[in-house]
Amino acid sequence: MENLEGRLTKLALKGDQRAFAELVELYKDKIYHLAYRMLNNRHEAEDIVQETFLRVYRNLDRYDDKQKFSTWIYRIGTNLCIDRLRKRKPVYSLDAEMNDQEGIDGYSLIPSDNVTPETELLLSETQRVIYEAIDSLPVKYRSVMILRYLQDLSLQEISDVLDMPVTTIKTRVHRGREFLRKKLGPKM
């Protein structure tokens, strides 16, 4: 993958639109999952994916080929998510999706006589508790935990993405795990 990534990046730097399109294909789902896990909102995650690739395209000439392309694009996506979280204001709408469940909106909170197995599955208690615990993590721990456990990045890669020392990343992973253990311990 790194060899393919390197070739595509070099071609994209030379203006090859197809190479850039292939880079988008390689990373769009990964950036979406990162953004969704950080923001817990499908629409915002889609926006972040678009914004990330716009920034990548506009700043392709600033890319330092001494670092991995994946590190660079994850850094852009993570920073955009953090900016979005800082600017976020509470919005309440029955049409809006619930933060902890995709596909569930405010109307589902209105009592109904129709309880389907699908609804029960979507609202499973275990899943809700885990999402709430992740949501309750401070941003600095949430981003590290998502990159480590959901995006499966190494500590060094997370260090590169967040532009922090590996020791800081280790500390945040440890503290994030402890926080989740305390939060989930009595409920699991």
Side-chain angles (χ1 to χ4, degrees):
M1 170 110 152
E2 285 183 38
N3 195 11
L4 172 66
E5 175 187 292
R7 284 195 315 252
L8 290 174
T9 305
K10 286 177 185 171
L11 290 170
L13 283 166
K14 293 177 183 175
D16 186 331
Q17 296 293 317
R18 280 184 282 167
F20 185 77
E22 286 194 47
L23 285 171
V24 170
E25 279 302 311
L26 274 175
Y27 286 100
K28 71 179 182 181
D29 290 338
K30 294 175 183 180
I31 299 299
Y32 173 82
H33 291 297
L34 167 73
Y36 183 78
R37 291 294 175 199
M38 288 187 73
L39 302 170
N40 291 317
N41 182 291
R42 186 172 49 100
H43 300 295
E44 283 186 313
E46 290 167 354
D47 289 346
I48 292 296
V49 171
Q50 288 182 352
E51 259 182 85
T52 299
F53 286 109
L54 277 171
R55 289 227 179 144
V56 166
Y57 187 76
R58 286 186 197 136
N59 298 302
L60 206 50
D61 58 328
R62 293 184 185 173
Y63 169 66
D64 177 8
D65 61 359
K66 292 177 184 70
Q67 69 175 338
K68 288 172 56 176
F69 183 79
S70 60
T71 301
W72 187 58
I73 197 167
Y74 273 125
R75 180 181 293 159
I76 291 170
T78 301
N79 287 341
L80 287 169
C81 288
I82 290 170
D83 289 346
R84 181 75 56 108
L85 286 168
R86 286 182 184 143
K87 294 176 187 173
R88 202 180 253 183
K89 294 178 184 163
V91 176
Y92 305 101
S93 167
L94 288 176
D95 292 324
E97 285 186 2
M98 303 301 290
N99 283 340
D100 57 350
Q101 296 287 327
E102 185 172 341
I104 304 297
D105 58 21
Y107 292 108
S108 65
L109 297 176
I110 298 172
S112 168
D113 295 331
N114 302 335
V115 178
T116 65
E118 182 180 44
T119 305
E120 287 181 15
L121 179 64
L122 289 173
L123 298 175
S124 75
E125 183 66 21
T126 304
Q127 192 175 28
R128 186 185 62 74
V129 168
I130 291 170
Y131 281 133
E132 284 176 0
I134 291 171
D135 284 347
S136 68
L137 283 173
V139 173
K140 65 182 181 180
Y141 300 131
R142 187 183 327 163
S143 60
V144 170
M145 298 299 280
I146 289 169
L147 289 170
R148 179 73 176 125
Y149 295 107
L150 300 177
Q151 296 297 319
D152 205 26
L153 295 183
S154 70
L155 296 174
Q156 183 60 54
E157 288 172 322
I158 298 169
S159 169
D160 295 341
V161 167
L162 298 177
D163 199 24
M164 294 178 189
V166 174
T167 53
T168 303
I169 300 301
K170 285 181 184 178
T171 301
R172 289 188 180 183
V173 166
H174 176 73
R175 289 182 181 161
R177 270 190 274 168
E178 286 301 311
F179 185 88
L180 289 174
R181 189 175 293 125
K182 287 177 186 173
K183 188 84 171 171
L184 295 172
K187 297 177 183 178
M188 299 308 253

mmCIF file with all atom_site columns, all heavy atoms in Angstrom, residues 123-134:
data_model
loop_
_atom_site.group_PDB
_atom_site.id
_atom_site.type_symbol
_atom_site.label_atom_id
_atom_site.label_alt_id
_atom_site.label_comp_id
_atom_site.label_asym_id
_atom_site.label_entity_id
_atom_site.label_seq_id
_atom_site.pdbx_PDB_ins_code
_atom_site.Cartn_x
_atom_site.Cartn_y
_atom_site.Cartn_z
_atom_site.occupancy
_atom_site.B_iso_or_equiv
_atom_site.pdbx_formal_charge
_atom_site.auth_seq_id
_atom_site.auth_comp_id
_atom_site.auth_asym_id
_atom_site.auth_atom_id
_atom_site.pdbx_PDB_model_num
ATOM 1  N N   . LEU A 1 123 ? -31.246 0.099  19.467 1.00 0.00 ? 123 LEU A N   1
ATOM 2  C CA  . LEU A 1 123 ? -31.176 0.766  20.766 1.00 0.00 ? 123 LEU A CA  1
ATOM 3  C C   . LEU A 1 123 ? -30.580 -0.127 21.849 1.00 0.00 ? 123 LEU A C   1
ATOM 4  O O   . LEU A 1 123 ? -30.836 0.078  23.022 1.00 0.00 ? 123 LEU A O   1
ATOM 5  C CB  . LEU A 1 123 ? -32.581 1.229  21.176 1.00 0.00 ? 123 LEU A CB  1
ATOM 6  C CG  . LEU A 1 123 ? -33.237 2.241  20.250 1.00 0.00 ? 123 LEU A CG  1
ATOM 7  C CD1 . LEU A 1 123 ? -34.660 2.520  20.693 1.00 0.00 ? 123 LEU A CD1 1
ATOM 8  C CD2 . LEU A 1 123 ? -32.433 3.527  20.209 1.00 0.00 ? 123 LEU A CD2 1
ATOM 9  N N   . SER A 1 124 ? -29.767 -1.074 21.450 1.00 0.00 ? 124 SER A N   1
ATOM 10 C CA  . SER A 1 124 ? -29.235 -2.002 22.439 1.00 0.00 ? 124 SER A CA  1
ATOM 11 C C   . SER A 1 124 ? -28.483 -1.249 23.536 1.00 0.00 ? 124 SER A C   1
ATOM 12 O O   . SER A 1 124 ? -27.737 -0.314 23.278 1.00 0.00 ? 124 SER A O   1
ATOM 13 C CB  . SER A 1 124 ? -28.334 -3.046 21.780 1.00 0.00 ? 124 SER A CB  1
ATOM 14 O OG  . SER A 1 124 ? -27.100 -2.466 21.451 1.00 0.00 ? 124 SER A OG  1
ATOM 15 N N   . GLU A 1 125 ? -28.728 -1.674 24.722 1.00 0.00 ? 125 GLU A N   1
ATOM 16 C CA  . GLU A 1 125 ? -28.165 -0.993 25.891 1.00 0.00 ? 125 GLU A CA  1
ATOM 17 C C   . GLU A 1 125 ? -26.638 -0.987 25.898 1.00 0.00 ? 125 GLU A C   1
ATOM 18 O O   . GLU A 1 125 ? -26.016 0.025  26.188 1.00 0.00 ? 125 GLU A O   1
ATOM 19 C CB  . GLU A 1 125 ? -28.693 -1.670 27.167 1.00 0.00 ? 125 GLU A CB  1
ATOM 20 C CG  . GLU A 1 125 ? -28.248 -1.006 28.446 1.00 0.00 ? 125 GLU A CG  1
ATOM 21 C CD  . GLU A 1 125 ? -28.801 0.393  28.632 1.00 0.00 ? 125 GLU A CD  1
ATOM 22 O OE1 . GLU A 1 125 ? -29.815 0.742  28.010 1.00 0.00 ? 125 GLU A OE1 1
ATOM 23 O OE2 . GLU A 1 125 ? -28.205 1.166  29.395 1.00 0.00 ? 125 GLU A OE2 1
ATOM 24 N N   . THR A 1 126 ? -26.045 -2.080 25.565 1.00 0.00 ? 126 THR A N   1
ATOM 25 C CA  . THR A 1 126 ? -24.582 -2.164 25.584 1.00 0.00 ? 126 THR A CA  1
ATOM 26 C C   . THR A 1 126 ? -23.962 -1.166 24.629 1.00 0.00 ? 126 THR A C   1
ATOM 27 O O   . THR A 1 126 ? -23.028 -0.439 24.986 1.00 0.00 ? 126 THR A O   1
ATOM 28 C CB  . THR A 1 126 ? -24.121 -3.587 25.214 1.00 0.00 ? 126 THR A CB  1
ATOM 29 O OG1 . THR A 1 126 ? -24.744 -4.506 26.104 1.00 0.00 ? 126 THR A OG1 1
ATOM 30 C CG2 . THR A 1 126 ? -22.619 -3.713 25.314 1.00 0.00 ? 126 THR A CG2 1
ATOM 31 N N   . GLN A 1 127 ? -24.486 -1.116 23.426 1.00 0.00 ? 127 GLN A N   1
ATOM 32 C CA  . GLN A 1 127 ? -23.959 -0.198 22.423 1.00 0.00 ? 127 GLN A CA  1
ATOM 33 C C   . GLN A 1 127 ? -24.131 1.249  22.884 1.00 0.00 ? 127 GLN A C   1
ATOM 34 O O   . GLN A 1 127 ? -23.228 2.068  22.739 1.00 0.00 ? 127 GLN A O   1
ATOM 35 C CB  . GLN A 1 127 ? -24.681 -0.435 21.100 1.00 0.00 ? 127 GLN A CB  1
ATOM 36 C CG  . GLN A 1 127 ? -24.038 0.234  19.916 1.00 0.00 ? 127 GLN A CG  1
ATOM 37 C CD  . GLN A 1 127 ? -24.737 -0.143 18.616 1.00 0.00 ? 127 GLN A CD  1
ATOM 38 O OE1 . GLN A 1 127 ? -25.922 -0.455 18.613 1.00 0.00 ? 127 GLN A OE1 1
ATOM 39 N NE2 . GLN A 1 127 ? -23.997 -0.087 17.543 1.00 0.00 ? 127 GLN A NE2 1
ATOM 40 N N   . ARG A 1 128 ? -25.272 1.553  23.440 1.00 0.00 ? 128 ARG A N   1
ATOM 41 C CA  . ARG A 1 128 ? -25.539 2.908  23.907 1.00 0.00 ? 128 ARG A CA  1
ATOM 42 C C   . ARG A 1 128 ? -24.553 3.315  25.007 1.00 0.00 ? 128 ARG A C   1
ATOM 43 O O   . ARG A 1 128 ? -24.004 4.409  24.993 1.00 0.00 ? 128 ARG A O   1
ATOM 44 C CB  . ARG A 1 128 ? -26.975 3.015  24.426 1.00 0.00 ? 128 ARG A CB  1
ATOM 45 C CG  . ARG A 1 128 ? -27.370 4.444  24.805 1.00 0.00 ? 128 ARG A CG  1
ATOM 46 C CD  . ARG A 1 128 ? -28.758 4.491  25.419 1.00 0.00 ? 128 ARG A CD  1
ATOM 47 N NE  . ARG A 1 128 ? -28.891 3.746  26.643 1.00 0.00 ? 128 ARG A NE  1
ATOM 48 C CZ  . ARG A 1 128 ? -28.392 4.133  27.830 1.00 0.00 ? 128 ARG A CZ  1
ATOM 49 N NH1 . ARG A 1 128 ? -27.729 5.245  27.938 1.00 0.00 ? 128 ARG A NH1 1
ATOM 50 N NH2 . ARG A 1 128 ? -28.561 3.395  28.910 1.00 0.00 ? 128 ARG A NH2 1
ATOM 51 N N   . VAL A 1 129 ? -24.306 2.403  25.929 1.00 0.00 ? 129 VAL A N   1
ATOM 52 C CA  . VAL A 1 129 ? -23.395 2.693  27.034 1.00 0.00 ? 129 VAL A CA  1
ATOM 53 C C   . VAL A 1 129 ? -21.976 2.945  26.520 1.00 0.00 ? 129 VAL A C   1
ATOM 54 O O   . VAL A 1 129 ? -21.291 3.877  26.952 1.00 0.00 ? 129 VAL A O   1
ATOM 55 C CB  . VAL A 1 129 ? -23.420 1.538  28.073 1.00 0.00 ? 129 VAL A CB  1
ATOM 56 C CG1 . VAL A 1 129 ? -22.297 1.653  29.066 1.00 0.00 ? 129 VAL A CG1 1
ATOM 57 C CG2 . VAL A 1 129 ? -24.762 1.505  28.781 1.00 0.00 ? 129 VAL A CG2 1
ATOM 58 N N   . ILE A 1 130 ? -21.554 2.138  25.579 1.00 0.00 ? 130 ILE A N   1
ATOM 59 C CA  . ILE A 1 130 ? -20.203 2.307  25.021 1.00 0.00 ? 130 ILE A CA  1
ATOM 60 C C   . ILE A 1 130 ? -20.091 3.632  24.275 1.00 0.00 ? 130 ILE A C   1
ATOM 61 O O   . ILE A 1 130 ? -19.119 4.370  24.439 1.00 0.00 ? 130 ILE A O   1
ATOM 62 C CB  . ILE A 1 130 ? -19.832 1.108  24.123 1.00 0.00 ? 130 ILE A CB  1
ATOM 63 C CG1 . ILE A 1 130 ? -19.661 -0.141 24.993 1.00 0.00 ? 130 ILE A CG1 1
ATOM 64 C CG2 . ILE A 1 130 ? -18.570 1.395  23.332 1.00 0.00 ? 130 ILE A CG2 1
ATOM 65 C CD1 . ILE A 1 130 ? -19.531 -1.430 24.234 1.00 0.00 ? 130 ILE A CD1 1
ATOM 66 N N   . TYR A 1 131 ? -21.077 3.948  23.452 1.00 0.00 ? 131 TYR A N   1
ATOM 67 C CA  . TYR A 1 131 ? -21.050 5.228  22.730 1.00 0.00 ? 131 TYR A CA  1
ATOM 68 C C   . TYR A 1 131 ? -21.029 6.409  23.695 1.00 0.00 ? 131 TYR A C   1
ATOM 69 O O   . TYR A 1 131 ? -20.319 7.376  23.486 1.00 0.00 ? 131 TYR A O   1
ATOM 70 C CB  . TYR A 1 131 ? -22.251 5.360  21.793 1.00 0.00 ? 131 TYR A CB  1
ATOM 71 C CG  . TYR A 1 131 ? -22.116 4.611  20.498 1.00 0.00 ? 131 TYR A CG  1
ATOM 72 C CD1 . TYR A 1 131 ? -23.150 3.818  20.021 1.00 0.00 ? 131 TYR A CD1 1
ATOM 73 C CD2 . TYR A 1 131 ? -20.951 4.688  19.738 1.00 0.00 ? 131 TYR A CD2 1
ATOM 74 C CE1 . TYR A 1 131 ? -23.031 3.131  18.827 1.00 0.00 ? 131 TYR A CE1 1
ATOM 75 C CE2 . TYR A 1 131 ? -20.822 4.001  18.545 1.00 0.00 ? 131 TYR A CE2 1
ATOM 76 C CZ  . TYR A 1 131 ? -21.864 3.233  18.088 1.00 0.00 ? 131 TYR A CZ  1
ATOM 77 O OH  . TYR A 1 131 ? -21.750 2.554  16.914 1.00 0.00 ? 131 TYR A OH  1
ATOM 78 N N   . GLU A 1 132 ? -21.827 6.309  24.744 1.00 0.00 ? 132 GLU A N   1
ATOM 79 C CA  . GLU A 1 132 ? -21.848 7.397  25.726 1.00 0.00 ? 132 GLU A CA  1
ATOM 80 C C   . GLU A 1 132 ? -20.486 7.548  26.397 1.00 0.00 ? 132 GLU A C   1
ATOM 81 O O   . GLU A 1 132 ? -20.035 8.661  26.645 1.00 0.00 ? 132 GLU A O   1
ATOM 82 C CB  . GLU A 1 132 ? -22.927 7.143  26.785 1.00 0.00 ? 132 GLU A CB  1
ATOM 83 C CG  . GLU A 1 132 ? -24.325 7.413  26.296 1.00 0.00 ? 132 GLU A CG  1
ATOM 84 C CD  . GLU A 1 132 ? -25.387 7.055  27.324 1.00 0.00 ? 132 GLU A CD  1
ATOM 85 O OE1 . GLU A 1 132 ? -25.042 6.587  28.438 1.00 0.00 ? 132 GLU A OE1 1
ATOM 86 O OE2 . GLU A 1 132 ? -26.571 7.241  27.014 1.00 0.00 ? 132 GLU A OE2 1
ATOM 87 N N   . ALA A 1 133 ? -19.858 6.419  26.708 1.00 0.00 ? 133 ALA A N   1
ATOM 88 C CA  . ALA A 1 133 ? -18.544 6.478  27.350 1.00 0.00 ? 133 ALA A CA  1
ATOM 89 C C   . ALA A 1 133 ? -17.519 7.128  26.417 1.00 0.00 ? 133 ALA A C   1
ATOM 90 O O   . ALA A 1 133 ? -16.720 7.965  26.838 1.00 0.00 ? 133 ALA A O   1
ATOM 91 C CB  . ALA A 1 133 ? -18.093 5.078  27.759 1.00 0.00 ? 133 ALA A CB  1
ATOM 92 N N   . ILE A 1 134 ? -17.530 6.746  25.149 1.00 0.00 ? 134 ILE A N   1
ATOM 93 C CA  . ILE A 1 134 ? -16.599 7.352  24.191 1.00 0.00 ? 134 ILE A CA  1
ATOM 94 C C   . ILE A 1 134 ? -16.910 8.834  24.023 1.00 0.00 ? 134 ILE A C   1
ATOM 95 O O   . ILE A 1 134 ? -16.006 9.671  23.983 1.00 0.00 ? 134 ILE A O   1
ATOM 96 C CB  . ILE A 1 134 ? -16.648 6.603  22.837 1.00 0.00 ? 134 ILE A CB  1
ATOM 97 C CG1 . ILE A 1 134 ? -16.041 5.205  23.004 1.00 0.00 ? 134 ILE A CG1 1
ATOM 98 C CG2 . ILE A 1 134 ? -15.911 7.383  21.759 1.00 0.00 ? 134 ILE A CG2 1
ATOM 99 C CD1 . ILE A 1 134 ? -16.224 4.302  21.802 1.00 0.00 ? 134 ILE A CD1 1
#
